[in-house]
Amino acid sequence: MDSEAVTKYSKLHAKPLGLFLQYGTAGFRCKAENLNHVMFRMGLLAVLRSKKTKSTIGVMVTASHNPEEDNGVKLIDPSGEMLAPTWEEHATFLANAEEPQLHCVLTEICQKEAVDLQNKAFIVIGRDTRPSSKELSQAAIDGVSVLGGQYKDYGLVTTPQLHYMVRCHNPYGTYGTPTVEGYYQKLSKAFLELTMQAASQMDGRGGLKIDCANGIGALKLKEMESYLSERLAIHLANDGREGKLNHMCGADFVKVHQKPPVGLQMNPGERCCSLDGDADRLVYYYVDTAGRFHLLDGDKIATLISTFLQELLIKAGQTLSFAVIQTAYANGSSTGYLEQTMKVPVHCAKTGVKHLHHKAQEFDIGIYFEANGHGTVLFSKAAEDKIRYQAKEEKDLQKREAAKMLENTIDLINQTVGDGLADMLVIEAILVLKNLTIAQWDALYTDLPNRQLKVKVADRRVISTTDAERRALAPPGLQEKIDHLTQKFKLARAFVRPSGTEDIVRVYAEADSQENADKLAHEVCLAVYHLAGGFGDPPKAV
């Protein structure tokens, strides 16, 4: 390792004295002006990770659904997954080292992980459309270059596209062709084959209106549209020409505020959806003839996909283990519908994609979606091999047809991470194949009214949880208070969990009516404020 070169370049990307940042589930995120040194150092770390794994590693510059003035970075592991937890610790340690300690920290990581510095390193880099992203991505490239790593800069891509590129490189070409064109070709081929038998029905269904959050999704949808052979008519709103990224639009805004984004004209019964700023989240919605807004979030998406896959598995005669993985945020009605009506096993994991992804890997087919619309479907290697073999060799025509549809679904889904574009095509295919309107999909079950709020606290670490974050262990008395408050309402449930990135506590409540869900959420907020060191003014009623 050339310590002089590292020191020289590090001074060009100097760390502000005393600044501390934590690598969380989504990597590093904060105001863009505080990230230059972090980007440089994540370039360094990506090279070490690549040399350690003898694989291609990804560096994605994005802050997803955060405001435009924020930015962030995350590293992507060889199979397109989130960075391994021990390396998250190295990332935090490296990002926070003061300048004189930088070389020592790098050496320590190499020793701990037995990194052979003679190995080659190859890094792929992508960025979102934020004004700060180009300069920050150059800082990451500087970090890669100073340690002698080779790299490919994909420029403007969605986060899921970069995850896809990483997976395609490890080993090269087995998952797909590692180009943006290769991504579009793989998805469009699967979509067109899957919907072939229902092509005539698609004409009369009307187009899909897509809120692109003024982010990268708009650019990529415009590129992908020609690959879909006019099978799906799309109309883009918030495409970045006017509004600010994620401002009053995007999947997170729609989910949290439970109302449509600005800039999207809606007529009764029209299918509408929103991506987030880096296109890894997706929610659907519509207004009915009475003008009421209906949100179809990650729970509804998981239900639709699992119903479709279960029917195909039965038709194909496949006996594969199958489960839906949810978090504590999943609506109680969705859990009840899946378990009681569909007889699909449901498991609860801690909030955060890596926890859901890990749990989903325990099954032949694991479906996971967070309520916020981030999710995907994982197929084990054995399940995929069985399905592909049956699609080719099965003698029974009906079973072979079902297996072929399963095979196309495998190819349409981005198994590396939640992908708003891929998930959108899966949903559109299922709706046309099952001949469902968005209102009929919505009517599979009725969500319990719910409310999400947050409480500022002096130190979020005073809150600790158990049972996949559904119960509070500390501070003392908080869970007992939540239990007492919940008993006052019908069909009620509430939980609290600390934010992973800032000193706030997130509160979730559901009950038999919106009024009661709002009351319960507010009362739980007050309990958190008084028992967990609330900061500033007490929470106000919704």
Side-chain angles (χ1 to χ4, degrees), residues 154-345:
Y154 281 97
L156 292 166
V157 286
T158 70
T159 294
Q161 283 177 334
L162 197 74
H163 282 259
Y164 165 89
M165 302 307 171
V166 175
R167 176 78 168 260
C168 290
H169 276 283
N170 295 312
Y172 192 92
T174 50
Y175 187 67
T177 307
T179 61
V180 174
E181 293 74 25
Y183 170 90
Y184 297 142
Q185 284 161 356
K186 182 179 180 183
L187 263 59
S188 59
K189 180 175 181 284
F191 177 74
L192 293 171
E193 285 189 16
L194 190 56
T195 56
M196 196 183 299
Q197 67 189 73
S200 58
Q201 287 166 240
M202 296 196 86
D203 296 341
R205 292 182 63 80
L208 172 67
K209 290 186 171 176
I210 307 167
D211 157 34
C212 301
N214 291 313
I216 186 71
L219 287 178
K220 298 300 155 184
L221 278 166
K222 285 171 188 172
E223 291 174 3
M224 188 168 75
E225 194 172 6
S226 63
Y227 290 82
L228 299 175
S229 305
E230 299 182 353
R231 186 74 58 87
L232 176 65
I234 58 174
H235 310 285
L236 308 185
N238 299 318
D239 63 1
R241 285 181 295 185
E242 290 176 9
K244 273 181 80 174
L245 179 71
N246 295 321
H247 181 62
M248 297 183 74
C249 60
D252 197 57
F253 173 85
V254 174
K255 169 65 181 166
V256 171
H257 296 278
Q258 302 196 22
K259 66 180 184 183
V262 298
L264 185 81
Q265 293 299 314
M266 297 172 67
N267 298 314
E270 282 183 336
R271 299 188 319 286
C272 303
C273 67
S274 285
L275 302 166
D276 69 337
D278 65 339
D280 68 351
R281 291 185 184 187
L282 176 78
V283 295
Y284 268 68
Y285 44 92
Y286 69 102
V287 291
D288 60 25
T289 48
R292 278 190 301 262
F293 176 77
H294 296 255
L295 175 69
L296 292 85
D297 61 9
D299 298 336
K300 285 264 160 107
I301 293 170
T303 305
L304 181 72
I305 295 174
S306 58
T307 304
F308 176 69
L309 290 175
Q310 189 184 49
E311 287 170 1
L312 286 180
L313 288 168
I314 291 166
K315 278 182 191 169
Q318 287 280 8
T319 51
L320 297 167
S321 64
F322 182 77
V324 174
I325 319 300
Q326 296 184 326
T327 70
Y329 286 106
N331 195 278
S333 286
S334 74
T335 312
Y337 177 79
L338 286 164
E339 289 183 327
Q340 290 151 33
T341 306
M342 295 305 302
K343 309 297 181 200
V344 171

Side-chain angles (χ1 to χ4, degrees), residues 452-464:
Q452 288 186 52
L453 298 172
K454 48 193 180 186
V455 185
K456 283 187 179 178
V457 291
D459 183 359
R460 66 183 182 274
R461 290 172 296 184
V462 301
I463 301 260
S464 64

Side-chain angles (χ1 to χ4, degrees), residues 42-52 57 115 120-121 123 143-145 147-150:
M42 289 309 99
L44 300 173
L45 191 68
V47 170
L48 299 187
R49 182 71 177 149
S50 180
K51 288 175 183 284
K52 165 70 179 177
I57 297 295
V115 176
K120 290 180 179 173
I123 312 300
V144 172
S145 302
L147 286 187
Q150 299 297 303

